[in-house]
Amino acid sequence: MQCALKFACSAAPPSSASIAPLLFSNTHSKKKKLRNGCSIRAELSDDNDPLLQAAINSASLHPLFIDPYAGCFVSTHTQMDMETKAKQYCIATKFIDDKLLSTVNHMDGLKQVVLLSDGMDTRPYRLNWPSSTIMFDISPLRVFQKAAEKLDGVGAKIPQRCLFLHVPLETPNIQETLVTKGFNGTRPSVWAIQGLPLMTLVSFEEILLTVSGMAMKGCLFFGELPAWLAETGIGNKSSMKKWINNIFMSYGFKVDMISYNEVAKRLGKVVKPGDYEKILFVAEQLRCSDDQMETWRKELQRVDEDGDEE
């Protein structure tokens, strides 16, 4: 029976004490590959899988939007509350939803969306995607498979004339896998992150490196990040904005930090000050993608060769 409850899609990352580090390795050059590893025990049940439990436990009730599918992830004894953290998380989710749709609807032709998630992101099913949208979900394989089973059980469907593809977080080369599945670095794309397990500052920098290498100039990358990333990089919160600007700019992005309170006001909501350790951001790619650079390199080479022949 299809769930018809009002749920905010879960994507809050687990604590560092509950998961082994997820490491990425990549460079801007196509000759060097993106690698990542997940040092979780070989045998995990649903009850002791930290990634799966973190994704399930972060589902929360809120009327900002209707998610008819997230309820199938939550057990009947799960307590739903409306504490400050849940409210802010739902506000962030609504902000990301709206930003994704407004950006995609302004793309011509093929529309590429890359979701960096915890594996239980219901956006591919519940949002009103325009036709010719191809969505790539990068998330832990085990969690994604469990979620896919449950979503299939409640009749969740991808919108017609859209395509949804999964890229396992554990894949040895995420960038290459995206290309193999059809991602085109010479076409516009939009990237959103919420819930992807981030355990180290290095892992986040590798994500920035990946997006920077694949997203065309002018493309957007936005979402929600754990605030401890900035604290790890600078040692104190007072310079958080400066640190965010510096690290994004070093990978070719112009970034703006977004106020949860301002977003809440626009939605007609009020958020009380609370201990919500997240950063909401929107970044614009200022560099050309690797594919763009390669295309231009070949064109210049062709022009030079034509000149030599003349």
Side-chain angles (χ1 to χ4, degrees):
M1 180 177 64
Q2 179 168 323
C3 301
L5 302 178
K6 297 179 180 180
F7 281 91
C9 175
S10 82
S15 66
S16 58
S18 64
I19 313 177
L22 301 179
L23 302 177
F24 297 78
S25 176
N26 187 25
T27 66
H28 289 295
S29 172
K30 284 182 177 266
K31 296 181 180 179
K32 298 184 179 180
K33 298 180 178 181
L34 173 71
R35 298 189 179 276
N36 55 66
C38 185
S39 53
I40 299 176
R41 291 180 300 172
E43 295 184 359
L44 290 172
S45 69
D46 292 353
D47 291 335
N48 67 12
D49 186 333
L51 292 177
L52 183 61
Q53 290 304 313
I56 292 173
N57 292 339
S58 58
S60 54
L61 183 66
H62 201 272
L64 275 174
F65 55 92
I66 297 177
D67 185 339
Y69 307 119
C72 68
F73 302 141
V74 185
S75 62
T76 56
H77 64 269
T78 301
Q79 286 189 342
M80 296 295 170
D81 58 46
M82 286 303 297
E83 295 178 351
T84 299
K85 290 184 179 181
K87 287 182 180 179
Q88 289 183 306
Y89 184 81
C90 292
I91 286 168
T93 301
K94 174 63 174 173
F95 173 81
I96 295 169
D97 286 356
D98 292 347
K99 194 72 174 176
L100 278 168
L101 290 180
S102 64
T103 304
V104 168
N105 281 318
H106 282 86
M107 292 181 180
D108 294 325
L110 181 67
K111 309 167 201 310
Q112 301 182 120
V113 177
V114 183
L115 303 171
L116 299 141
S117 76
D118 60 3
M120 289 189 173
D121 195 340
T122 61
R123 288 185 174 98
Y125 303 91
R126 63 180 173 80
L127 295 185
N128 187 25
W129 299 104
S131 61
S132 301
T133 298
I134 179 171
M135 293 164 279
F136 304 89
D137 179 277
I138 300 174
S139 62
L141 178 60
R142 179 177 174 82
V143 179
F144 180 84
Q145 289 177 332
K146 289 290 183 182
E149 292 176 6
K150 292 180 179 295
L151 288 165
D152 183 64
V154 297
K157 301 291 183 182
I158 302 299
Q160 290 186 351
R161 301 185 66 184
C162 294
L163 185 62
F164 181 41
L165 301 168
H166 182 246
V167 176
L169 187 62
E170 302 83 1
T171 260
N173 190 325
I174 290 179
Q175 183 169 338
E176 186 177 273
T177 302
L178 278 169
V179 173
T180 300
K181 287 181 176 287
F183 184 91
N184 187 341
T186 61
R187 292 287 308 166
S189 59
V190 57
W191 301 66
I193 182 170
Q194 189 180 34
L196 185 77
L198 291 173
M199 299 307 300
T200 66
L201 178 59
V202 171
S203 67
F204 174 60
E205 289 180 313
E206 296 296 347
I207 289 171
L208 281 174
L209 195 58
T210 301
V211 182
S212 179
M214 302 195 74
M216 283 181 60
K217 183 177 181 181
C219 291
L220 295 182
F221 175 35
F222 50 83
E224 198 175 42
L225 298 171
W228 60 256
L229 286 173
E231 295 168 21
T232 301
I234 62 178
N236 64 80
K237 297 182 180 180
S238 61
S239 303
M240 182 179 291
K241 185 174 181 179
K242 180 178 180 181
W243 177 86
I244 289 289
N245 287 333
N246 287 342
I247 193 168
F248 272 89
M249 184 57 71
S250 66
Y251 289 95
F253 294 95
K254 176 185 177 182
V255 66
D256 290 316
M257 290 180 63
I258 308 299
S259 166
Y260 287 91
N261 288 336
E262 290 301 318
V263 176
K265 288 179 181 178
R266 292 198 296 270
L267 295 172
K269 304 294 179 181
V270 177
V271 177
K272 297 179 181 179
D275 185 25
Y276 189 66
E277 297 298 323
K278 298 290 178 64
I279 300 169
L280 196 59
F281 74 97
V282 175
E284 179 184 355
Q285 165 74 296
L286 302 179
R287 298 175 181 172
C288 295
S289 69
D290 290 346
D291 282 349
Q292 282 182 297
M293 295 299 294
E294 180 64 14
T295 298
W296 290 343
R297 185 193 67 77
K298 290 180 178 179
E299 181 62 19
L300 288 174
Q301 183 178 5
R302 185 191 65 79
V303 171
D304 288 343
E305 291 173 352
D306 290 346
D308 291 341
E309 290 178 2
E310 293 178 1

